[in-house]
Amino acid sequence: MTGRIPLLVGGADDVRTQMILVAAHAAEVDVKTEAPKSAAAPELQFSDKKITYTGAILRFFGRFHESSEVYGSSFYESAEVDSWLDWALMELAEPPVRLEQAAQTLEKHLEQRVFLVGQRLTLADIAASLPLQRFQQQGLVQLGRATKRWLGTCLATEAACSVLSSAPPKGKAAAAATAAPSVAPVAAVAGATPMSSTPLLDRYSSCVGGRTEIKRIMLADGDGKSMVGQKVSVCGWVKTAREADKGKIMFVQLNDGSIPLDIQVVIDSGAKGFDSLKGKCSTGASMKCTGEVVASPGGKQAVEILVKDAGSEVVLFGGVDAKEYPLAKKGHSHEYLRSIAHLRPRSNLIGSVARVRAALAQATHEFFRSNNFLYVHTPLITAADCEGAGEMFQVTTMMAEAEKDGKPLPMANGKFDYTKDFFQKPAFLTVSGQLSVENYCCSLSKVYTFGPTFRAENSHTSRHLAEFWMIEPELAFADIVDDMNCAEDYLKYCVRYAMEHNRQDLEFFDDKIEKGLVKRLENLLAEPFARVTYTEAIDILLKESPTAKFQVPVEWGMDLGSEHERHLAEKVFKKPTIVYNYPKDIKAFYMRLNEDNKTVAAMDVLAPAIGEVIGGSQREERLDVLDRRITEMGLEPKDYWWYRDLRRFGSVPHSGFGLGFERLIMLTTGVENIRDVIPYPRYPGHAEF
Ligand code: 4AD
Ligand code: MG
């Protein structure tokens, strides 16, 4: 039926027209509207047919796309929708005759429910809520608590918001709407769903009969108290479970990953499904609990769920044999958790890390998008060694093919014959997307790449991985100072974002991982980063050497080691510190040579506890100088022919940097080992999972 657009003739203020429009939106039916010539009832024209009765028009939409489920999600529900629809069109028609009685009927029915029928907004809700709202506004009726909650929920749906006003309801109505279990956003319209109409019922959990994320309950209006009295279903994994009152009650701490907090569920032995939990509901088991949100008598949280009354139930999805479960006990070491990387996301630590990691990725895209940078995808397989450090993983099919055919590796003049290899030349996993993104920068001005990078350095430190993620912005018409400014703004944006979006996670880290973390992050945001030249930094370190007792003695020209970097950031400046203008001999060929001929316009951002988080530079835009540097470094200019072309055709000053994503997560969470901030760490000898 798609493709043909029904024409609705009806007055915009007419409540029946509004009902029809909300239903059309909820049912994902495109309608054209036209003002009526006289004050007649709305009518729908479809092809050469006319439908005049409001109930018939609503049902027409209900059947338009059955997947929309506005007519219920089963035959039985459709019958129920029919019955409520007729009831609403009769009892709530203008002028209302038995309004008080109708309000009582609704209140009784809604006491244990979110919607009139099933788990989502249907035609029944639409037909009842819109006229009822008018009567309430006209002061003709007093609504009960359950009915008010339901009304707020219905009016906060995207379908209703889109018709009744261009914006979702404000103030009390909106609070009620977010607090009340709501529907899945029934109309799949393009663009983001407005937050206040984001449903409490998860859109993609209909298979379990609907569920509400634990976060939406525990953080509703701050502490979840506004949810008290609501009937909800939650699904998740058991953190701990214990029986009390001689097995008549079970206390379960349930977590679904939406926040670090667990919700306490108190299950009464009279609740449906209680017996199925016996012996199976231990740490790690998965279940659904349906019950009422009640104020928590004690404990840390304001609310809990009571599974007791009629309509309450528990469903065990997957039980656990406590003797076998690797995460059954609490307080595992980080090393042990790494050995069960498939289950460790269920630990508090890795759960919080995963949420912060996702938030920081989001912050990255938001920061660059809001500053008009373009996201460019650079290749992972490359022939160029950007850093010139020779720490690349080779990509070849030669070995697999030789093994398969039982033949020796193809050789030519005593060397591997790469012309027989997949790419017909040596190819590697990228160590940096910089060179590729520079090309785009020199056309699109401001770009960034964000992807995995690979380094075959045989380091076993807590700061190095063989596979890590890097964010590399590249800015045209920007020098080293612009670069430093951008790096500082970006890093602060990310930290601020995590503080705003991941408060509970950061409190967890502050409590369990680094005492004073939140204060440290606040300080990081409060002050400008320190900035010193490499030469100044060396002078400072030389002065401090007698007391600091560095393992590697300090001298101008050396590459700063982790001990030196940390000393500067932790002891000297006590905040993130940018060191710039490094000796050219310890830096990559592409960095711009300074006037002194000894240093290059490079900069590193050093953070307390971690050391280098960002490395960047102004790029050498002068072809002759670049060629000299490539040769000096023992590289072949011809291998970089395309990179050189940028300096031949319309060269511009430009700069960029790379931020090690895992090091940013370490900085933001206080987690000390880089292997614990990436889902599946790769380092020498470890490529499991
Ligand atoms: O300093 P690096 O090597 O700089 C580059 O790769 C430049 N091409 C970036 C650019 O200018 N576009 O690496 C950048 C950052 C480091 O500061 C560090 O945070 C991180 O990447 N990093 C690592 N992180 C984890 N494991 C490793 N092995 C890393 N090596 C570098
Ligand atoms: Mg570096």
Side-chain angles (χ1 to χ4, degrees), residues 584 593-599 628:
K584 65 176 178 160
L593 192 63
N594 286 326
E595 306 262 289
D596 60 13
N597 259 325
K598 288 195 317 203
T599 61
R628 227 174 37 238

Side-chain angles (χ1 to χ4, degrees), residues 144-163:
R145 190 183 59 88
T147 312
K148 275 193 205 150
R149 184 196 68 212
W150 160 80
L151 195 59
T153 305
C154 294
L155 298 177
T157 57
E158 199 179 286
C161 289
S162 70
V163 173

Side-chain angles (χ1 to χ4, degrees), residues 185-431:
V186 282
V189 290
T193 313
M195 192 51 202
S196 54
S197 69
T198 304
L200 274 188
L201 263 189
D202 186 75
R203 178 161 166 72
Y204 304 112
S205 292
S206 57
C207 114
V208 293
R211 71 167 179 122
T212 297
E213 281 180 320
I214 291 170
K215 170 182 179 175
R216 302 296 304 269
I217 299 169
M218 298 186 78
L219 300 188
D221 293 327
D223 61 3
K225 280 197 190 130
S226 62
M227 288 291 289
V228 169
Q230 300 287 340
K231 191 97 179 179
V232 292
S233 292
V234 290
C235 292
W237 292 265
V238 174
K239 274 284 162 74
T240 58
R242 69 181 168 87
E243 287 184 358
D245 200 10
K246 299 195 181 112
K248 287 204 204 109
I249 292 184
M250 189 176 258
F251 290 94
V252 171
Q253 299 287 330
L254 204 68
N255 189 287
D256 64 2
S258 57
I259 34 166
L261 309 175
D262 311 324
I263 196 155
Q264 167 147 291
V265 187
V266 183
I267 310 164
D268 188 85
S269 61
K272 195 173 158 199
F274 183 84
D275 293 338
S276 69
L277 304 182
K278 286 267 171 228
K280 293 185 189 146
C281 181
S282 54
T283 305
S286 52
M287 65 193 299
K288 176 182 174 183
C289 305
T290 303
E292 187 181 335
V293 180
V294 295
S296 217
K300 281 184 263 170
Q301 271 84 51
V303 292
E304 58 189 40
I305 297 175
L306 185 61
V307 185
K308 188 173 183 184
D309 297 331
S312 300
E313 72 168 323
V314 284
V315 178
L316 190 76
F317 296 128
V320 157
D321 179 350
K323 291 193 292 299
E324 300 267 318
Y325 189 54
L327 264 174
K329 279 187 267 136
K330 280 181 154 187
H332 298 287
S333 72
H334 297 182
E335 288 78 14
Y336 173 72
L337 289 177
R338 261 172 245 148
S339 73
I340 48 164
H342 59 309
L343 289 172
R344 73 172 182 163
R346 293 187 192 181
S347 66
N348 294 338
L349 173 75
I350 301 299
S352 281
V353 165
R355 278 182 295 272
V356 172
R357 186 176 172 108
L360 292 173
Q362 186 69 28
T364 294
H365 290 301
E366 280 188 16
F367 173 80
F368 288 114
R369 201 183 50 187
S370 62
N371 283 293
N372 289 334
F373 284 67
L374 225 92
Y375 181 25
V376 176
H377 298 113
T378 49
L380 298 191
I381 298 177
T382 170
D385 180 357
C386 171
E387 293 307 298
E391 290 163 339
M392 303 178 85
F393 286 105
Q394 194 158 2
V395 178
T396 174
T397 55
M398 283 206 307
M399 299 226 278
E401 275 166 17
E403 200 162 47
K404 191 174 75 193
D405 302 339
K407 290 187 186 150
L409 288 169
M411 304 293 283
N413 305 325
K415 290 185 168 172
F416 292 127
D417 182 3
Y418 283 107
T419 61
K420 304 279 182 325
D421 202 357
F422 190 94
F423 296 107
Q424 297 174 7
K425 63 187 322 199
F428 306 90
L429 292 179
T430 187
V431 294

Side-chain angles (χ1 to χ4, degrees), residues 87-102:
W87 177 88
L89 292 171
M90 206 129 80
E91 300 294 323
L92 304 175
E94 295 217 51
V97 184
R98 293 172 299 227
L99 199 49
E100 281 306 320
Q101 207 178 322

Side-chain angles (χ1 to χ4, degrees), residues 453-474:
T453 42
F454 308 87
R455 296 200 183 173
E457 43 191 339
N458 197 14
S459 20
H460 292 260
T461 77
S462 57
R463 306 179 315 130
H464 289 88
L465 287 167
E467 178 183 278
F468 63 98
W469 287 64
M470 187 152 51
I471 292 101
E472 296 181 273
E474 196 68 30

